[in-house]
PDB file of all heavy atoms in Angstrom:
ATOM      1  N   GLN A  17       0.820  -1.260   0.016  1.00 66.00           N
ATOM      2  CA  GLN A  17      -0.053   0.056  -0.006  1.00 66.00           C
ATOM      3  C   GLN A  17       0.817   1.247   0.062  1.00 66.00           C
ATOM      4  O   GLN A  17       0.500   2.256  -0.686  1.00 66.00           O
ATOM      5  CB  GLN A  17      -0.905  -0.100   1.248  1.00 66.00           C
ATOM      6  CG  GLN A  17      -1.898  -1.188   1.128  1.00 66.00           C
ATOM      7  CD  GLN A  17      -2.888  -1.191   2.459  1.00 66.00           C
ATOM      8  OE1 GLN A  17      -2.563  -0.569   3.422  1.00 66.00           O
ATOM      9  NE2 GLN A  17      -3.874  -1.989   2.353  1.00 66.00           N
ATOM     10  N   LEU A  18       1.934   1.282   0.710  1.00 57.00           N
ATOM     11  CA  LEU A  18       2.774   2.426   0.729  1.00 57.00           C
ATOM     12  C   LEU A  18       3.454   2.633  -0.702  1.00 57.00           C
ATOM     13  O   LEU A  18       3.704   3.734  -0.955  1.00 57.00           O
ATOM     14  CB  LEU A  18       3.816   2.270   1.901  1.00 57.00           C
ATOM     15  CG  LEU A  18       3.352   2.194   3.348  1.00 57.00           C
ATOM     16  CD1 LEU A  18       4.532   1.966   4.333  1.00 57.00           C
ATOM     17  CD2 LEU A  18       2.724   3.590   3.644  1.00 57.00           C
ATOM     18  N   LEU A  19       3.974   1.567  -1.143  1.00 62.00           N
ATOM     19  CA  LEU A  19       4.630   1.686  -2.566  1.00 62.00           C
ATOM     20  C   LEU A  19       3.545   2.272  -3.483  1.00 62.00           C
ATOM     21  O   LEU A  19       3.939   3.057  -4.357  1.00 62.00           O
ATOM     22  CB  LEU A  19       5.161   0.303  -2.989  1.00 62.00           C
ATOM     23  CG  LEU A  19       6.340  -0.262  -2.177  1.00 62.00           C
ATOM     24  CD1 LEU A  19       6.678  -1.568  -2.536  1.00 62.00           C
ATOM     25  CD2 LEU A  19       7.535   0.859  -2.339  1.00 62.00           C
ATOM     26  N   ALA A  20       2.283   1.835  -3.375  1.00 68.00           N
ATOM     27  CA  ALA A  20       1.353   2.318  -4.298  1.00 68.00           C
ATOM     28  C   ALA A  20       1.106   3.831  -4.135  1.00 68.00           C
ATOM     29  O   ALA A  20       0.946   4.515  -5.133  1.00 68.00           O
ATOM     30  CB  ALA A  20       0.061   1.499  -4.208  1.00 68.00           C
ATOM     31  N   ILE A  21       1.070   4.202  -2.909  1.00 62.00           N
ATOM     32  CA  ILE A  21       1.058   5.657  -2.705  1.00 62.00           C
ATOM     33  C   ILE A  21       2.138   6.372  -3.224  1.00 62.00           C
ATOM     34  O   ILE A  21       2.014   7.498  -3.763  1.00 62.00           O
ATOM     35  CB  ILE A  21       0.805   5.894  -1.089  1.00 62.00           C
ATOM     36  CG1 ILE A  21      -0.507   5.258  -0.611  1.00 62.00           C
ATOM     37  CG2 ILE A  21       0.911   7.392  -0.685  1.00 62.00           C
ATOM     38  CD1 ILE A  21      -0.595   5.323   0.979  1.00 62.00           C
ATOM     39  N   GLU A  22       3.375   5.814  -3.129  1.00 58.00           N
ATOM     40  CA  GLU A  22       4.509   6.450  -3.611  1.00 58.00           C
ATOM     41  C   GLU A  22       4.388   6.599  -5.154  1.00 58.00           C
ATOM     42  O   GLU A  22       4.818   7.573  -5.785  1.00 58.00           O
ATOM     43  CB  GLU A  22       5.746   5.549  -3.231  1.00 58.00           C
ATOM     44  CG  GLU A  22       7.111   6.133  -3.801  1.00 58.00           C
ATOM     45  CD  GLU A  22       7.312   7.595  -3.405  1.00 58.00           C
ATOM     46  OE1 GLU A  22       6.928   8.004  -2.368  1.00 58.00           O
ATOM     47  OE2 GLU A  22       8.143   8.332  -4.206  1.00 58.00           O
ATOM     48  N   LYS A  23       3.928   5.604  -5.785  1.00 65.00           N
ATOM     49  CA  LYS A  23       3.803   5.737  -7.225  1.00 65.00           C
ATOM     50  C   LYS A  23       2.734   6.824  -7.666  1.00 65.00           C
ATOM     51  O   LYS A  23       3.015   7.528  -8.609  1.00 65.00           O
ATOM     52  CB  LYS A  23       3.400   4.367  -7.819  1.00 65.00           C
ATOM     53  CG  LYS A  23       4.496   3.325  -7.741  1.00 65.00           C
ATOM     54  CD  LYS A  23       3.879   1.929  -8.262  1.00 65.00           C
ATOM     55  CE  LYS A  23       4.959   0.856  -8.269  1.00 65.00           C
ATOM     56  NZ  LYS A  23       4.547  -0.436  -8.734  1.00 65.00           N
ATOM     57  N   LEU A  24       1.667   6.858  -6.908  1.00 66.00           N
ATOM     58  CA  LEU A  24       0.788   7.948  -7.217  1.00 66.00           C
ATOM     59  C   LEU A  24       1.311   9.332  -6.942  1.00 66.00           C
ATOM     60  O   LEU A  24       1.084  10.258  -7.653  1.00 66.00           O
ATOM     61  CB  LEU A  24      -0.577   7.837  -6.185  1.00 66.00           C
ATOM     62  CG  LEU A  24      -1.367   6.571  -6.552  1.00 66.00           C
ATOM     63  CD1 LEU A  24      -2.488   6.434  -5.550  1.00 66.00           C
ATOM     64  CD2 LEU A  24      -2.012   6.740  -7.927  1.00 66.00           C
ATOM     65  N   ASN A  25       2.188   9.491  -6.016  1.00 59.00           N
ATOM     66  CA  ASN A  25       2.745  10.837  -5.765  1.00 59.00           C
ATOM     67  C   ASN A  25       3.755  11.107  -6.882  1.00 59.00           C
ATOM     68  O   ASN A  25       3.989  12.370  -7.200  1.00 59.00           O
ATOM     69  CB  ASN A  25       3.442  10.830  -4.350  1.00 59.00           C
ATOM     70  CG  ASN A  25       2.455  10.774  -3.242  1.00 59.00           C
ATOM     71  OD1 ASN A  25       1.355  11.203  -3.342  1.00 59.00           O
ATOM     72  ND2 ASN A  25       2.936  10.281  -2.096  1.00 59.00           N
ATOM     73  N   ARG A  26       4.419  10.186  -7.450  1.00 57.00           N
ATOM     74  CA  ARG A  26       5.422  10.368  -8.534  1.00 57.00           C
ATOM     75  C   ARG A  26       4.766  10.682  -9.885  1.00 57.00           C
ATOM     76  O   ARG A  26       5.472  11.216 -10.839  1.00 57.00           O
ATOM     77  CB  ARG A  26       6.356   9.085  -8.614  1.00 57.00           C
ATOM     78  CG  ARG A  26       7.263   8.931  -7.324  1.00 57.00           C
ATOM     79  CD  ARG A  26       8.178   7.906  -7.355  1.00 57.00           C
ATOM     80  NE  ARG A  26       9.125   8.069  -8.544  1.00 57.00           N
ATOM     81  CZ  ARG A  26      10.106   7.241  -9.055  1.00 57.00           C
ATOM     82  NH1 ARG A  26      10.136   5.993  -8.458  1.00 57.00           N
ATOM     83  NH2 ARG A  26      10.858   7.581  -9.897  1.00 57.00           N
ATOM     84  N   VAL A  27       3.593  10.228 -10.111  1.00 54.00           N
ATOM     85  CA  VAL A  27       2.942  10.496 -11.444  1.00 54.00           C
ATOM     86  C   VAL A  27       2.888  12.001 -11.828  1.00 54.00           C
ATOM     87  O   VAL A  27       3.233  12.320 -12.898  1.00 54.00           O
ATOM     88  CB  VAL A  27       1.486   9.876 -11.358  1.00 54.00           C
ATOM     89  CG1 VAL A  27       0.789  10.379 -12.582  1.00 54.00           C
ATOM     90  CG2 VAL A  27       1.602   8.385 -11.408  1.00 54.00           C
ATOM     91  N   PRO A  28       2.543  12.832 -11.001  1.00 54.00           N
ATOM     92  CA  PRO A  28       2.670  14.327 -11.292  1.00 54.00           C
ATOM     93  C   PRO A  28       4.016  14.629 -11.720  1.00 54.00           C
ATOM     94  O   PRO A  28       4.104  15.662 -12.658  1.00 54.00           O
ATOM     95  CB  PRO A  28       2.025  15.117 -10.151  1.00 54.00           C
ATOM     96  CG  PRO A  28       1.244  14.142  -9.369  1.00 54.00           C
ATOM     97  CD  PRO A  28       1.951  12.761  -9.613  1.00 54.00           C
ATOM     98  N   GLU A  29       4.940  14.305 -11.089  1.00 49.00           N
ATOM     99  CA  GLU A  29       6.344  14.616 -11.304  1.00 49.00           C
ATOM    100  C   GLU A  29       6.679  14.364 -12.850  1.00 49.00           C
ATOM    101  O   GLU A  29       7.257  14.974 -13.641  1.00 49.00           O
ATOM    102  CB  GLU A  29       7.275  14.157 -10.335  1.00 49.00           C
ATOM    103  CG  GLU A  29       7.117  14.674  -8.847  1.00 49.00           C
ATOM    104  CD  GLU A  29       8.035  14.052  -7.977  1.00 49.00           C
ATOM    105  OE1 GLU A  29       8.857  13.192  -8.229  1.00 49.00           O
ATOM    106  OE2 GLU A  29       7.862  14.459  -6.668  1.00 49.00           O
ATOM    107  N   ILE A  30       6.376  13.052 -13.107  1.00 46.00           N
ATOM    108  CA  ILE A  30       6.726  12.481 -14.506  1.00 46.00           C
ATOM    109  C   ILE A  30       5.935  13.221 -15.578  1.00 46.00           C
ATOM    110  O   ILE A  30       6.311  13.603 -16.519  1.00 46.00           O
ATOM    111  CB  ILE A  30       6.358  10.908 -14.488  1.00 46.00           C
ATOM    112  CG1 ILE A  30       7.250  10.250 -13.499  1.00 46.00           C
ATOM    113  CG2 ILE A  30       6.607  10.350 -15.924  1.00 46.00           C
ATOM    114  CD1 ILE A  30       6.942   8.715 -13.333  1.00 46.00           C
ATOM    115  N   ALA A  31       4.619  13.569 -15.266  1.00 48.00           N
ATOM    116  CA  ALA A  31       3.922  14.290 -16.200  1.00 48.00           C
ATOM    117  C   ALA A  31       4.458  15.555 -16.437  1.00 48.00           C
ATOM    118  O   ALA A  31       4.451  16.134 -17.536  1.00 48.00           O
ATOM    119  CB  ALA A  31       2.379  14.391 -15.744  1.00 48.00           C
ATOM    120  N   SER A  32       4.938  16.228 -15.448  1.00 49.00           N
ATOM    121  CA  SER A  32       5.561  17.605 -15.688  1.00 49.00           C
ATOM    122  C   SER A  32       6.917  17.504 -16.494  1.00 49.00           C
ATOM    123  O   SER A  32       7.136  18.460 -17.124  1.00 49.00           O
ATOM    124  CB  SER A  32       5.655  18.265 -14.269  1.00 49.00           C
ATOM    125  OG  SER A  32       6.625  17.532 -13.556  1.00 49.00           O
ATOM    126  N   ILE A  33       7.597  16.506 -16.340  1.00 44.00           N
ATOM    127  CA  ILE A  33       8.834  16.286 -17.046  1.00 44.00           C
ATOM    128  C   ILE A  33       8.491  16.007 -18.474  1.00 44.00           C
ATOM    129  O   ILE A  33       9.117  16.646 -19.453  1.00 44.00           O
ATOM    130  CB  ILE A  33       9.675  15.242 -16.527  1.00 44.00           C
ATOM    131  CG1 ILE A  33      10.078  15.624 -15.172  1.00 44.00           C
ATOM    132  CG2 ILE A  33      10.944  14.971 -17.423  1.00 44.00           C
ATOM    133  CD1 ILE A  33      10.732  14.560 -14.286  1.00 44.00           C
ATOM    134  N   VAL A  34       7.466  15.135 -18.704  1.00 42.00           N
ATOM    135  CA  VAL A  34       7.138  14.763 -20.189  1.00 42.00           C
ATOM    136  C   VAL A  34       6.465  15.881 -20.877  1.00 42.00           C
ATOM    137  O   VAL A  34       6.826  16.181 -22.037  1.00 42.00           O
ATOM    138  CB  VAL A  34       6.314  13.477 -20.101  1.00 42.00           C
ATOM    139  CG1 VAL A  34       5.756  13.163 -21.562  1.00 42.00           C
ATOM    140  CG2 VAL A  34       7.011  12.328 -19.552  1.00 42.00           C
ATOM    141  N   THR A  35       5.538  16.600 -20.302  1.00 47.00           N
ATOM    142  CA  THR A  35       4.924  17.807 -20.995  1.00 47.00           C
ATOM    143  C   THR A  35       5.651  18.988 -20.853  1.00 47.00           C
ATOM    144  O   THR A  35       6.062  19.463 -19.945  1.00 47.00           O
ATOM    145  CB  THR A  35       3.422  17.931 -20.218  1.00 47.00           C
ATOM    146  OG1 THR A  35       2.804  16.708 -20.115  1.00 47.00           O
ATOM    147  CG2 THR A  35       2.751  19.001 -20.894  1.00 47.00           C
ATOM    148  N   PRO A  36       6.033  19.444 -22.164  1.00 49.00           N
ATOM    149  CA  PRO A  36       6.852  20.626 -22.108  1.00 49.00           C
ATOM    150  C   PRO A  36       6.088  21.901 -21.697  1.00 49.00           C
ATOM    151  O   PRO A  36       4.807  21.907 -21.842  1.00 49.00           O
ATOM    152  CB  PRO A  36       7.289  20.775 -23.671  1.00 49.00           C
ATOM    153  CG  PRO A  36       6.226  20.140 -24.516  1.00 49.00           C
ATOM    154  CD  PRO A  36       5.677  19.009 -23.463  1.00 49.00           C
ATOM    155  N   ASP A  37       6.685  22.933 -21.310  1.00 49.00           N
ATOM    156  CA  ASP A  37       6.097  24.236 -20.874  1.00 49.00           C
ATOM    157  C   ASP A  37       5.651  24.955 -22.038  1.00 49.00           C
ATOM    158  O   ASP A  37       6.414  25.133 -23.087  1.00 49.00           O
ATOM    159  CB  ASP A  37       7.195  25.005 -20.046  1.00 49.00           C
ATOM    160  CG  ASP A  37       6.454  26.161 -19.500  1.00 49.00           C
ATOM    161  OD1 ASP A  37       5.231  26.374 -19.584  1.00 49.00           O
ATOM    162  OD2 ASP A  37       7.211  26.897 -18.802  1.00 49.00           O
ATOM    163  N   PRO A  38       4.472  25.288 -22.107  1.00 47.00           N
ATOM    164  CA  PRO A  38       3.879  26.120 -23.246  1.00 47.00           C
ATOM    165  C   PRO A  38       4.729  27.403 -23.572  1.00 47.00           C
ATOM    166  O   PRO A  38       4.979  27.729 -24.761  1.00 47.00           O
ATOM    167  CB  PRO A  38       2.498  26.401 -23.031  1.00 47.00           C
ATOM    168  CG  PRO A  38       2.070  25.398 -22.009  1.00 47.00           C
ATOM    169  CD  PRO A  38       3.414  25.042 -21.217  1.00 47.00           C
ATOM    170  N   LYS A  39       5.082  28.171 -22.495  1.00 45.00           N
ATOM    171  CA  LYS A  39       5.837  29.292 -22.655  1.00 45.00           C
ATOM    172  C   LYS A  39       7.176  28.987 -23.282  1.00 45.00           C
ATOM    173  O   LYS A  39       7.627  29.723 -24.231  1.00 45.00           O
ATOM    174  CB  LYS A  39       6.134  29.943 -21.317  1.00 45.00           C
ATOM    175  CG  LYS A  39       4.707  30.353 -20.642  1.00 45.00           C
ATOM    176  CD  LYS A  39       5.003  31.176 -19.426  1.00 45.00           C
ATOM    177  CE  LYS A  39       3.783  31.690 -18.729  1.00 45.00           C
ATOM    178  NZ  LYS A  39       3.981  32.293 -17.505  1.00 45.00           N
ATOM    179  N   ALA A  40       7.719  27.941 -22.938  1.00 42.00           N
ATOM    180  CA  ALA A  40       9.083  27.541 -23.567  1.00 42.00           C
ATOM    181  C   ALA A  40       8.932  27.236 -24.972  1.00 42.00           C
ATOM    182  O   ALA A  40       9.843  27.789 -25.858  1.00 42.00           O
ATOM    183  CB  ALA A  40       9.699  26.355 -22.799  1.00 42.00           C
ATOM    184  N   ARG A  41       7.847  26.578 -25.456  1.00 42.00           N
ATOM    185  CA  ARG A  41       7.590  26.230 -26.856  1.00 42.00           C
ATOM    186  C   ARG A  41       7.416  27.413 -27.679  1.00 42.00           C
ATOM    187  O   ARG A  41       7.816  27.598 -28.745  1.00 42.00           O
ATOM    188  CB  ARG A  41       6.325  25.328 -27.021  1.00 42.00           C
ATOM    189  CG  ARG A  41       6.296  24.835 -28.401  1.00 42.00           C
ATOM    190  CD  ARG A  41       5.237  23.687 -28.485  1.00 42.00           C
ATOM    191  NE  ARG A  41       3.905  24.039 -27.918  1.00 42.00           N
ATOM    192  CZ  ARG A  41       3.507  23.339 -26.876  1.00 42.00           C
ATOM    193  NH1 ARG A  41       4.172  22.355 -26.227  1.00 42.00           N
ATOM    194  NH2 ARG A  41       2.295  23.625 -26.286  1.00 42.00           N
ATOM    195  N   ASN A  42       6.655  28.448 -27.073  1.00 42.00           N
ATOM    196  CA  ASN A  42       6.469  29.749 -27.896  1.00 42.00           C
ATOM    197  C   ASN A  42       7.752  30.481 -27.953  1.00 42.00           C
ATOM    198  O   ASN A  42       8.124  31.221 -29.023  1.00 42.00           O
ATOM    199  CB  ASN A  42       5.415  30.538 -27.161  1.00 42.00           C
ATOM    200  CG  ASN A  42       4.171  29.890 -27.138  1.00 42.00           C
ATOM    201  OD1 ASN A  42       3.760  29.134 -28.087  1.00 42.00           O
ATOM    202  ND2 ASN A  42       3.424  30.341 -26.128  1.00 42.00           N
TER     203      ASN A  42
END
């Protein structure tokens, strides 16, 4: 259960790395 919570907490971090910043693209 703790490891599952840890994975849920890391999903936003991964998403922020994969998705580029719109300001940077412009």
Side-chain angles (χ1 to χ4, degrees):
Q17 293 175 350
L18 294 174
L19 292 175
I21 294 172
E22 175 61 22
K23 290 179 180 180
L24 291 174
N25 291 334
R26 292 181 64 184
V27 169
E29 296 177 0
I30 297 172
S32 63
I33 295 172
V34 174
T35 304
D37 189 0
K39 293 182 180 180
R41 186 167 55 246
N42 292 335

